[in-house]
Amino acid sequence: MRVKALVLAAALLPTTSFAQTYIGFSVGQGQFRGTELNASGYGQTAMDIEVDIDKSSLAGSLYAGYQFNPFFAVELTAGGIDAISVDSVSVGRMMYVAAAPKVSYPIARNFQVFGKWGIAQFSAETIINTGYWGDYTTDDSVTSQMFSLGAEYALNNSAAVRVSWDYLRPELDLGTYNGISANVATDIHILSVGLNYHF
């Protein structure tokens, strides 16, 4: 019986010993595209307006995960994006918290690609300059899906460099002003470089 138990423990040891916790940070650029404004009021049907926005802004994040084996991990991310301004509208305090499973595939001994698909809680402050009436400010927080693709190169047994692309499309409620309710949705692409450390 003891021999069988030792054999079983030896068989499970490689998987158990691989499990690791890791933390990291990344910096990069957030790109805003595909913006749509939806407005309705005064008994009128909703109006969908495509806004041509091609803006970029500094982005950064902190992340932590648990690597169960070489192919699967669960990762949490907390990130932020610097403010952008378009004409009389500025959007700031953009922050998000995301949770996602991470699937990796080793290409070489020290190199792997990965993908993530999870849920993000995104919040932002929108300030609209109405001219004579001053500024109109709204804060909103919404849930959005978040997709990620990337690659990692292990520098040693503990540290790795990461390059990643993250995508989310939050739909923010701009509230009601002068009887008109509006919301806006935009594509956010985040390209970043990061460094993580495995314990």
Side-chain angles (χ1 to χ4, degrees):
M1 183 65 69
R2 290 182 180 179
V3 174
K4 290 183 179 180
L6 289 174
V7 171
L8 179 61
L12 294 176
L13 183 59
T15 301
T16 304
S17 62
F18 185 89
Q20 296 176 325
T21 301
Y22 62 91
I23 59 172
F25 71 93
S26 68
V27 292
Q29 187 177 71
Q31 189 79 27
F32 298 80
R33 294 176 180 169
T35 303
E36 293 182 359
L37 177 66
N38 178 278
S40 61
Y42 300 110
Q44 301 295 319
T45 56
M47 297 177 294
D48 292 323
I49 304 171
E50 291 189 8
V51 183
D52 186 15
I53 295 178
D54 190 357
K55 291 281 187 177
S56 60
S57 185
L58 181 67
S61 70
L62 299 174
Y63 55 89
Y66 187 80
Q67 190 83 39
F68 293 91
N69 55 50
F71 306 99
F72 183 76
V74 174
E75 191 168 293
L76 300 176
T77 305
I81 307 171
D82 202 9
I84 62 168
S85 297
V86 181
D87 296 329
S88 59
V89 179
S90 64
V91 183
R93 296 184 184 177
M94 288 180 281
M95 295 176 288
Y96 63 91
V97 177
K102 176 189 173 189
V103 178
S104 302
Y105 184 77
I107 301 297
R109 185 173 179 271
N110 294 334
F111 182 74
Q112 64 178 359
V113 294
F114 67 86
K116 298 190 297 178
W117 180 12
I119 299 296
Q121 190 69 23
F122 182 90
S123 63
E125 177 188 68
T126 304
I127 301 175
I128 302 173
N129 188 328
T130 63
Y132 178 79
W133 300 103
D135 292 340
Y136 175 70
T137 303
T138 61
D139 290 283
D140 194 24
S141 179
V142 296
T143 301
S144 169
Q145 295 186 71
M146 186 168 182
F147 305 91
S148 302
L149 293 174
E152 288 184 344
Y153 179 79
L155 302 174
N156 51 48
N157 291 333
S158 300
V161 176
R162 169 186 294 193
V163 176
S164 64
W165 164 78
D166 302 315
Y167 169 80
L168 64 160
R169 184 178 174 82
E171 184 174 327
L172 297 172
D173 184 4
L174 300 182
T176 302
Y177 180 76
N178 283 346
I180 299 176
S181 299
N183 58 65
V184 63
T186 186
D187 294 325
I188 302 177
H189 303 265
I190 304 172
L191 296 174
S192 59
V193 177
L195 179 68
N196 56 59
Y197 182 83
H198 291 250
F199 295 94

